[in-house]
Amino acid sequence: MEGAGTERRLNESIDAELTGIIYEAALDPHLWPDLLDMLAQMLNLSEPANQSESALHGNTDGNNRFYRLLPHIHRALALNRRFNDTKQEHQFTNSIIDQFPIGIVIINAERQVISSNRRANEVIHSQLGVSIVNSKFRIDDEKKNEFLTRYIEQLTKKETGNKIDNTCSLAINQQDQATLSLLISTDPYYRAHYDNNAEHRITLFIASPFSQHSVSHDALQSLFQLSPAEARLTASLASGISIDEYALTHHVAKHTARTQLKSIFRKTSTHKQTELIKLVLTSPAVLTALDELQYSRKKNYSYQPSKHLLNETLLTLADGRKLSFCEYGDANGLPVIFFHGILGSRYERHPDDSIINGLGIRLIVPDRPGYGRSDANSRGNHLDFVDDIVQLTDHLKINTFSIFGLSVGAIYAAACAYKVPEKITSAFLLGTTLPLRSFADIADLLPSFKMQYALTKYIPHVARLFPEIAAQNAHSNPAKFFRNMPMSYVDREVFFREELHQHLIDSLLAGGGISHAGFIEDIMSSVQPWSFPIEDVKIKLDFWHGTDDLHSPIRRIYELAETIDNASITPVQGGGHFFIYDYWSDILKAIIRESHNH
């Protein structure tokens, strides 16, 4: 009895620990891989299975514990969705504040900066009398900095008992000239009365008469029906540039500029420059467009097109869906279509485009449905995507072409070889992800992949939420996602290699342009049979596969190849799932050889 009680207490302790991790994962979704590992161990999925589905049902204790924890998983996922909704609302609010033509800085009682908008950052970087030192906001003038410190102490601590205004203005001078106006305002919604750990926050509004006003040319054209040239002149005048300076810097005759100004006066119902500038600065034109702000926020991840980028196009298909694709390399070269992996997009390839250009290859990389800018196809499967490819090649006036795909992309390449063999000159399948049919198929996988398989097969409505969370994590912080993603040390070296890391981030971000539908569907289809019998493919299939691939064990590729009449396997010794980047040139040369032998 004592032993049973000890075991019960141990199990309760384990359940309590798992429950805690579940709710921690609700607010830090990067913990989900660790949670899946623990659940897999609980169900004994981390050990190689020698049965099929009975492995799950035979573990009664693990099952009982899992189903006790299942309601907590549901609640944690609901909390995660609320958390993501709140985060998106916060980001949207920040993007609106970024449009304000006045600087806004939010600090705590210790003057540590919590957030600041774009205009405030411009003023601070211009060194006009304020700065941020060790994450703390400070005024360069020591006396006024001391005043700010005392005022904040009075606002937040109220130790003096004196009545103090909740707002205070301060002029900051440099060289006897007013450069900044500072308005200090306390937090009107201080939460200390119900949360002792709540931070007191102070908002600083910063205005400078010398900062340049950013005026949207597009907004001016729309608001006042100005021509592009008139909008440029109006924006320059609102930014403090004289008409003579504008004529000089824009290489326009003064007479032409003055004629444009008369037209502007007429269209805006103003009569002089002061009226015009007042009208502009009180109009929505001073608010930067949201899409411009979103671009500037993501500029560290922006894709810089290679000099060998031939074309980036959005093709309208017969059913009205859009298919996005890029072309790289030699415009007159051998047409080769690449099907990207589950973390990819139309930008996925080796970043050194001189390789394909030197080999004389015209590389075509489409966004699959639900990836990037391509519309999802809710009723489509692998074979339906082949129809999209046929429309794409017809649009490009290409009769025959080679194909290769990475990971799940290899499945789509195989579908092309099955459905339109007459168009294919060679077909290469790299790191092919095969469908998981039973627990025997997942014996070599990482524990978190095993758990995803079990959930997908037996509780699909729960399983679907995990790739949704993974996709959100990947696109909100791709570097952190890569750090937490289960992978072999070989693949980790590839992902964090200096010349590849940013390129892989760029490709990942581009893949989530419209939605994450493609990513999620590819995950969910991992336990489903392919929509075509690969053993019936009539043309040769060349499999290249890493011997240390932890996503798709090479033993299963050998088993598959035995069922195909015309298949060859090139094992990449020591290669992981993403060996393609180290063997890019070798793979392309092999594609060229097979195409010439066709």
Side-chain angles (χ1 to χ4, degrees):
M1 292 294 292
E2 183 178 348
T6 301
E7 183 178 355
R8 187 184 69 255
R9 288 192 295 273
L10 177 61
N11 287 337
E12 289 174 350
S13 175
I14 294 172
D15 287 355
E17 181 180 355
L18 280 170
T19 302
I21 293 175
I22 287 170
Y23 286 108
E24 286 183 28
L27 298 182
D28 185 0
H30 291 92
L31 290 173
W32 283 112
D34 294 335
L35 176 61
L36 288 174
D37 280 351
M38 295 187 71
L39 292 172
Q41 292 169 20
M42 182 183 72
L43 294 176
N44 294 330
L45 296 182
S46 56
E47 301 174 0
N50 50 21
Q51 299 112 358
S52 59
E53 287 79 358
S54 61
L56 177 65
H57 300 294
N59 182 9
T60 305
D61 292 340
N63 277 344
N64 291 338
R65 179 175 294 152
F66 176 74
Y67 284 106
R68 285 198 303 271
L69 293 172
L70 189 57
H72 296 290
I73 294 176
H74 275 289
R75 294 188 192 112
L77 291 168
L79 285 172
N80 177 260
R81 285 191 165 182
R82 291 183 194 173
F83 175 73
N84 285 333
D85 289 343
T86 302
K87 186 166 65 173
Q88 289 176 358
E89 290 175 7
H90 176 71
Q91 291 172 344
F92 181 70
T93 301
N94 282 344
S95 69
I96 293 174
I97 293 174
D98 258 342
Q99 298 178 75
F100 290 1
I102 191 169
I104 300 175
V105 181
I106 299 176
I107 61 176
N108 63 15
E110 285 72 41
R111 291 190 286 116
Q112 290 180 321
V113 176
I114 297 170
S115 65
S116 57
N117 72 343
R118 180 176 53 91
R119 178 67 71 182
N121 293 334
E122 291 172 358
V123 172
I124 291 167
H125 292 151
S126 298
Q127 300 179 337
L128 293 174
V130 295
S131 56
I132 295 177
V133 180
N134 296 327
S135 301
K136 290 188 176 183
F137 181 89
R138 62 168 284 114
I139 301 174
D140 296 342
D141 184 308
E142 289 298 334
K143 289 184 178 180
K144 293 186 177 179
N145 192 57
E146 291 175 7
F147 172 83
L148 175 64
T149 301
R150 289 196 306 272
Y151 181 75
I152 290 175
E153 287 177 354
Q154 292 175 329
L155 275 178
T156 57
K157 297 181 180 178
K158 308 260 185 199
E159 292 177 349
T160 60
N162 297 329
K163 185 176 181 181
I164 182 171
D165 291 336
N166 286 334
T167 59
C168 173
S169 58
L170 189 63
I172 300 172
N173 304 320
Q174 278 193 325
Q175 299 176 350
D176 299 325
Q177 188 175 26
T179 56
L180 294 179
S181 299
L182 197 65
L183 180 68
I184 310 161
S185 177
T186 188
D187 182 357
Y189 304 107
Y190 185 38
R191 295 158 292 151
H193 63 280
Y194 60 84
D195 184 356
N196 292 330
N197 295 320
E199 278 192 325
H200 209 312
R201 298 186 177 185
I202 297 93
T203 304
L204 307 176
F205 299 91
I206 308 172
S208 169
F210 298 111
S211 61
Q212 294 291 315
H213 292 282
S214 177
V215 180
S216 169
H217 295 186
D218 290 342
L220 288 174
Q221 292 182 59
S222 176
L223 287 168
F224 306 114
Q225 288 74 54
L226 302 181
S227 69
E230 291 168 347
R232 285 194 297 271
L233 174 56
T234 304
S236 297
L237 295 174
S239 299
I241 298 174
S242 70
I243 193 167
D244 290 345
E245 290 173 325
Y246 172 85
L248 180 64
T249 56
H250 287 75
H251 308 288
V252 175
K254 292 182 182 180
H255 174 74
T256 301
R258 294 187 186 281
T259 300
Q260 290 175 347
L261 182 58
K262 290 180 181 178
S263 175
I264 294 167
F265 284 157
R266 178 175 51 80
K267 291 180 179 180
T268 59
S269 300
T270 56
H271 301 88
K272 50 187 177 181
Q273 288 188 35
T274 53
E275 292 180 3
L276 175 64
I277 293 171
K278 181 180 178 180
L279 176 67
V280 171
L281 296 183
T282 56
S283 76
V286 297
L287 303 179
T288 307
L290 275 175
D291 56 347
E292 295 174 11
L293 286 170
Q294 289 167 354
Y295 171 78
S296 66
R297 283 177 178 272
K298 292 183 177 179
K299 63 182 177 181
N300 291 334
Y301 296 137
S302 64
Y303 177 74
Q304 298 299 323
S306 160
K307 62 181 179 180
H308 297 304
L309 172 63
L310 301 175
N311 181 30
E312 183 170 4
T313 302
L314 200 60
L315 174 66
T316 301
L317 301 171
D319 61 3
R321 288 182 298 113
K322 303 293 184 182
L323 178 71
S324 176
F325 69 95
C326 284
E327 294 183 85
Y328 307 91
D330 185 349
N332 299 312
L334 175 72
V336 179
I337 299 179
F338 175 56
F339 301 98
H340 61 75
I342 199 167
L343 298 177
S345 68
R346 64 194 178 279
Y347 295 152
E348 184 175 333
R349 72 208 187 282
H350 194 289
D352 184 2
D353 286 336
S354 65
I355 297 174
I356 54 174
N357 200 57
L359 291 173
I361 286 177
R362 178 187 180 184
L363 184 67
I364 303 159
V365 188
D367 280 332
R368 290 200 303 276
Y371 284 88
R373 298 170 63 200
S374 290
D375 293 331
N377 185 1
S378 58
R379 299 180 180 178
N381 56 30
H382 306 117
L383 294 177
D384 291 309
F385 182 58
V386 178
D387 296 334
D388 296 349
I389 295 302
V390 171
Q391 291 184 60
L392 170 61
T393 53
D394 287 347
H395 169 75
L396 296 174
K397 295 180 172 54
I398 296 172
N399 294 320
T400 59
F401 49 90
S402 293
I403 53 175
F404 70 124
L406 172 64
S407 188
V408 277
I411 305 172
Y412 292 89
C416 280
Y418 171 81
K419 191 169 185 177
V420 289
E422 69 281 2
K423 291 181 173 291
I424 309 301
T425 57
S426 63
F428 281 65
L429 313 183
L430 317 176
T432 307
T433 299
L434 300 179
L436 300 172
R437 303 157 301 183
S438 69
F439 274 72
D441 289 339
I442 68 173
D444 304 332
L445 298 185
L446 294 169
S448 58
F449 295 157
K450 295 178 182 181
M451 191 63 211
Q452 181 66 51
Y453 162 75
L455 291 173
T456 303
K457 192 166 185 66
Y458 296 105
I459 319 176
H461 66 285
V462 174
R464 192 177 190 86
L465 298 174
F466 287 99
E468 287 181 5
I469 290 173
Q472 291 169 359
N473 290 343
H475 291 87
S476 64
N477 191 334
K480 186 175 182 180
F481 175 78
F482 287 157
R483 286 196 301 272
N484 288 277
M485 188 172 71
M487 66 176 80
S488 68
Y489 76 92
V490 177
D491 287 330
R492 191 166 299 280
E493 190 279 327
V494 170
F495 269 74
F496 290 92
R497 193 179 300 167
E498 183 177 355
E499 65 271 22
L500 289 176
H501 184 61
Q502 188 59 51
H503 176 73
L504 292 170
I505 287 177
D506 294 335
S507 180
L508 169 66
L509 288 174
I514 296 176
S515 71
H516 307 312
F519 176 88
I520 295 168
E521 290 306 318
D522 279 342
I523 290 287
M524 295 304 295
S525 66
S526 62
V527 300
Q528 302 297 326
W530 289 357
S531 53
F532 61 97
I534 190 172
E535 61 272 13
D536 290 346
V537 173
K538 302 305 180 185
I539 65 173
K540 182 184 178 185
L541 295 179
D542 285 279
F543 292 89
W544 286 48
H545 212 89
T547 58
D548 294 342
D549 189 333
L550 297 184
H551 290 67
S552 180
I554 193 171
R555 64 174 176 81
R556 297 196 61 214
I557 302 301
Y558 281 109
E559 293 171 1
L560 176 66
E562 290 178 358
T563 68
I564 303 172
D565 290 338
N566 194 3
S568 69
I569 298 179
T570 301
V572 179
Q573 294 300 323
H577 193 61
F578 299 95
F579 67 87
I580 185 173
Y581 296 100
D582 287 327
Y583 290 84
W584 184 251
S585 180
D586 295 329
I587 294 165
L588 293 177
K589 289 176 182 177
I591 289 173
I592 293 172
R593 286 196 301 270
E594 285 294 331
S595 298
H596 289 163
N597 293 333
H598 180 70

